[in-house]
Amino acid sequence: MKLVIANKNYSSWSLRPWLLLTAFGIPFEEVLIPFGRTFDDPDWKRAVSAFTPAGKVPALIDGEIQVWESLAIMDHVADMRPDLAIWPRDPAARAMARSVAAEMHAGFQALRGACPMNLAWVHAARDRGPKVAFDVARISAIWREARERFGGEGPFLFGAFTAADAMFAPVTARFSGYSIALDPVSAAYCDAVQATQGFQSWRLGAFAEPWIVAEDEANEPVLTDFRPSLSRSRASS
């Protein structure tokens, strides 16, 4: 299989299936097409359109099969590998996992807009408005309920790592990167996701990237910048 992704520092949607495939030890070839100077760069769109009619990442090429959109990719992987618990085996847990993954896919626009994923930076805590606070509260409630009902067999939402955790992985990065205060259960869950070998590997790849997309570089003070000095100088140029 080939998984087409964009910059690891910015592309939250690319992270999701990449992390899932990595977590379950499913072999794949990574095809990274870095964004242009803006996310709607026409050259980038043309390059990605060679792999998917949607002209967006991620996209999975599995032989003659093309799959795009993170949830569709995960469902395809689950269909191809029924021996793996991509979704929880328990029907009640699986129903909740699919529901919250879909909620993540379609929702939380305030959080996405105010806190774009940028793994290289850590920002100081500040009030980001009531809509962001509402999104944070809802996500935390999802995590607490899943952990309480189904998380007894491990540190993830449904015990073992599943597609639902892959869907929420970029949110854990947003919470950490923007110093958003969390309840103990949610904070521990963020730590568990970010401690996985897959997430650590992805983050190191993000730190090493030389590419800068100015529109996704937040215009606010930065406490920590993990990127090399070359990238830092390019960001301010």
Side-chain angles (χ1 to χ4, degrees):
M1 292 190 292
K2 293 182 179 180
L3 182 67
V4 184
I5 63 173
N7 307 48
K8 292 180 177 178
N9 192 47
Y10 305 113
S11 187
S12 58
W13 290 108
S14 296
L15 169 58
R16 292 175 164 108
W18 189 99
L19 190 59
L20 184 81
L21 292 170
T22 301
F24 282 93
I26 300 172
F28 67 98
E29 176 186 346
E30 175 186 305
V31 180
L32 195 159
I33 303 176
F35 292 121
R37 295 189 65 84
T38 63
F39 291 121
D40 58 357
D41 182 274
D43 291 335
W44 183 84
K45 289 282 189 182
R46 280 191 290 271
V48 172
S49 294
F51 297 95
T52 164
K56 298 178 181 179
V57 291
L60 186 74
I61 312 302
D62 186 5
E64 298 298 316
I65 299 172
Q66 290 180 306
V67 194
W68 56 96
E69 291 288 350
S70 294
L71 273 178
I73 292 171
M74 292 179 184
D75 279 338
H76 173 75
V77 174
D79 289 343
M80 295 298 100
R81 294 298 305 270
D83 56 310
L84 300 175
I86 303 296
W87 296 104
R89 301 291 194 196
D90 175 77
R94 185 166 60 252
M96 183 180 181
R98 288 185 180 276
S99 296
V100 299
E103 186 176 354
M104 179 67 253
H105 189 277
F108 309 116
Q109 299 301 322
L111 177 66
R112 297 173 196 262
C115 305
M117 191 176 88
N118 186 323
L119 294 175
W121 283 4
V122 175
H123 301 276
R126 68 175 178 84
D127 183 1
R128 298 184 181 277
K131 292 183 179 180
V132 172
F134 181 88
D135 282 354
V136 172
R138 173 57 189 151
I139 292 168
S140 297
I142 290 171
W143 293 354
R144 289 194 305 270
E145 181 182 358
R147 292 288 301 138
E148 180 179 353
R149 293 179 60 192
F150 304 111
E153 299 299 321
F156 303 108
L157 294 180
F158 300 91
F161 192 93
T162 69
D165 299 296
M167 285 299 296
F168 280 104
V171 176
T172 75
R174 285 180 163 97
F175 286 172
S176 299
Y178 293 86
S179 302
I180 293 175
L182 299 171
D183 62 84
V185 172
S186 298
Y189 172 66
C190 286
D191 290 344
V193 171
Q194 294 180 36
T196 61
Q197 183 177 358
F199 190 95
Q200 292 287 320
S201 177
W202 177 279
R203 182 158 54 186
L204 288 174
F207 294 166
E209 289 178 346
W211 311 297
I212 298 295
V213 181
E215 66 187 273
D216 219 7
E217 299 285 316
N219 296 317
E220 60 179 276
V222 177
L223 295 178
T224 308
D225 188 344
F226 294 101
R227 287 178 295 200
S229 58
L230 174 62
S231 293
R232 180 64 168 168
S233 65
R234 289 183 62 185
S236 59
S237 64

